[in-house]
Amino acid sequence: MDLELTASQKAFREEARAFIRERLPADIRERVRNGSAFHKQDTVTWQRILHERGWAAPHWPNEYGGAGLGTIERLILLDELQRAGAPTPLAFNVAMLGPVLLRFGTEEQKRFFLPKLANLDLWFCQGFSEPGAGSDLASLRTRATRDGDHYIVEGQKIWTTGAHNADWIFALVRTESAARKQDGISFLLIDMRSAGVSVRPIVSIDGEHHLNEVFFDAVRVPVSNMIGEEGRGWDCAKYLLGSERATIASVGLCWERLERARELAAATRQGDRRLIDDPKLATELAMLGAEVRALELTNWRFLTDPEMGRKMPAFASVLKLKGSELMQELTALLARLSGPAGLERRDGESHAQAGAVSRYFFIRAATIYGGSSEVQKDILAKQLLG
Ligand SMILES: Cc1cc2nc3c(=O)[nH]c(=O)nc-3n(C[C@H](O)[C@H](O)[C@H](O)COP(=O)(O)OP(=O)(O)OC[C@H]3O[C@@H](n4cnc5c(N)ncnc54)[C@H](O)[C@@H]3O)c2cc1C
């Protein structure tokens, strides 16, 4: 919705675009765009470059390593990063835990953790889901029992993205069995090097290792690592999910994939004509373009109108639902356009089609993680139909 950006917001978009063009290392851009296997160091290197400018966590206050930017500027920056094929700052650190610390953390916790989160000196993962507690998260059973100035943590998490790369985990644990299962849950930060923490890989359908099971066997965690009050962790969890709203629709990523599909269709010949000259494909691309644009406008409407968020909090579910489905359609189109070359994926070797099939498989999960499509529809039905 560029037409409605203010002059200073437009200038900010130009500034962000120029910064990324000048500072994003070419090899990192190449690896991200061409679907190379994930390199942890790429995210670290790029996040530190952004952090020099206060843009790793642009929405945090300056005193904790942010740039104090508003929602719109944050969204513009994210959009530009995604369109440019840059790694985005680690969401677990800056979009999830950071806002929770700012809202519920003690001054000491903020001063210790926030700068390290922004500079990626500490890599966090998210320990919410458990076997039997995914959509119904409040059924979680990992238990933390008080023992002097420590908690003893016992239990298991599952689907923990990047636990094998992480230094710390922010986890929901049960500190009390309460009548209402949302009560008695606490929000705890746990050092992954603690005795009794073990990580087991889960290889997903794309053949990659993103996911893990994390086990806690009598892990001693200082009481000072609890965020907020004991038993009130559900408030932190809800706040964390609310903070993610600004990034939920992934509009920039949709634009980037659409652009790549157009490029690929223009560069690929079938017989004596380019794929993009096929009227059926051209129509499909135009329709997807209209859908991405509609998603973009809807996203801006939601984020720029505080009334809308207040009157209809479930609107975020529309963005999650539509954004993830659209991303799947675009990724499927890219895999189709890539043909057999899309099956190849070798590190260090890059071509436009590389990794397309692997991405197609991985993105099937987009309608599961962050709240499944069925659950989003439930939320919408409750709000709209009562
Ligand atoms: C790639 C990936 C990365 C992830 N990363 C993390 C992570 O880093 N940290 C973390 O904590 N978790 C993570 N998750 C877990 C994710 O949050 C859960 O998978 C998700 O919440 C669904 O829970 P579940 O897998 O237990 O499925 P279930 O909740 O058991 O759901 C199974 C099926 O039932 C449907 N269903 C469930 N409840 C309802 C309902 N009320 N009405 C209608 N249908 C329903 C669901 O839509 C789904 O189709 C990740 C998952 C994936 C796939």
Side-chain angles (χ1 to χ4, degrees), residues 92 126 128-129 134-135 159-161 211 365 368-369 372 374 378:
F92 300 120
Q126 178 187 25
F128 279 17
S129 306
S135 305
W159 312 123
T160 321
T161 302
L211 304 168
I368 302 174
Y369 57 69
S372 73
E374 290 79 7
D378 262 5

Side-chain angles (χ1 to χ4, degrees), residues 60-260:
W60 298 2
N62 298 62
E63 57 180 312
Y64 299 115
L69 296 183
T71 306
I72 300 304
E73 283 74 14
R74 179 187 173 198
L75 199 64
I76 291 172
L77 180 59
L78 181 70
D79 200 52
E80 288 301 321
L81 289 169
Q82 292 181 338
R83 282 173 183 238
T88 43
L90 186 67
F92 300 120
N93 281 23
V94 302
M96 299 187 193
L97 180 57
V100 168
L101 279 166
L102 284 164
R103 170 83 175 73
F104 298 97
T106 62
E107 195 51 38
E108 201 181 341
Q109 288 170 335
K110 289 183 207 174
R111 297 236 167 261
F112 181 80
F113 283 108
L114 289 171
K116 295 181 180 63
L117 295 184
N119 200 44
L120 215 38
D121 298 329
L122 292 180
W123 184 292
F124 264 87
C125 61
Q126 178 187 25
F128 279 17
S129 306
E130 297 182 5
S135 305
D136 181 17
L137 186 56
S139 291
L140 63 92
R141 286 181 305 180
T142 294
R143 180 161 284 282
T145 312
R146 184 81 183 250
D147 177 28
D149 53 5
H150 282 77
Y151 288 101
I152 312 293
V153 180
E154 287 279 353
Q156 183 199 342
K157 298 291 172 182
I158 194 167
W159 312 123
T160 321
T161 302
H164 55 302
N165 287 317
D167 304 300
W168 284 67
I169 183 168
F170 58 86
L172 291 178
V173 294
R174 189 162 291 287
T175 37
E176 198 189 325
S177 302
R180 205 178 72 102
K181 59 188 178 184
Q182 285 81 359
D183 298 329
I185 290 176
S186 300
F187 194 100
L188 207 53
L189 308 185
I190 305 173
D191 187 335
M192 295 290 280
R193 290 164 310 181
S194 312
V197 176
S198 55
V199 175
R200 197 158 71 189
I202 300 174
V203 174
S204 41
I205 192 171
D206 58 350
E208 299 287 337
H209 174 200
H210 313 276
L211 304 168
N212 304 274
E213 292 176 282
V214 179
F215 298 89
F216 303 100
D217 180 11
V219 178
R220 292 183 71 79
V221 181
V223 168
S224 58
N225 286 3
M226 180 164 288
I227 309 300
E229 286 175 45
E230 185 181 289
R232 302 299 302 268
W234 196 248
D235 295 343
C236 298
K238 279 195 304 187
Y239 187 76
L240 180 150
L241 299 173
S243 314
E244 272 190 282
R245 280 180 179 186
T247 59
I248 210 165
S250 300
V251 175
L253 268 184
C254 288
W255 280 128
E256 191 261 346
R257 298 227 166 149
L258 181 65
E259 199 42 49
R260 294 195 61 171

Side-chain angles (χ1 to χ4, degrees), residues 294-309:
L295 178 71
E296 182 173 48
L297 293 175
T298 311
N299 196 28
W300 282 85
R301 258 176 67 208
F302 180 60
L303 294 173
T304 50
D305 180 357
E307 274 302 290
M308 196 162 168

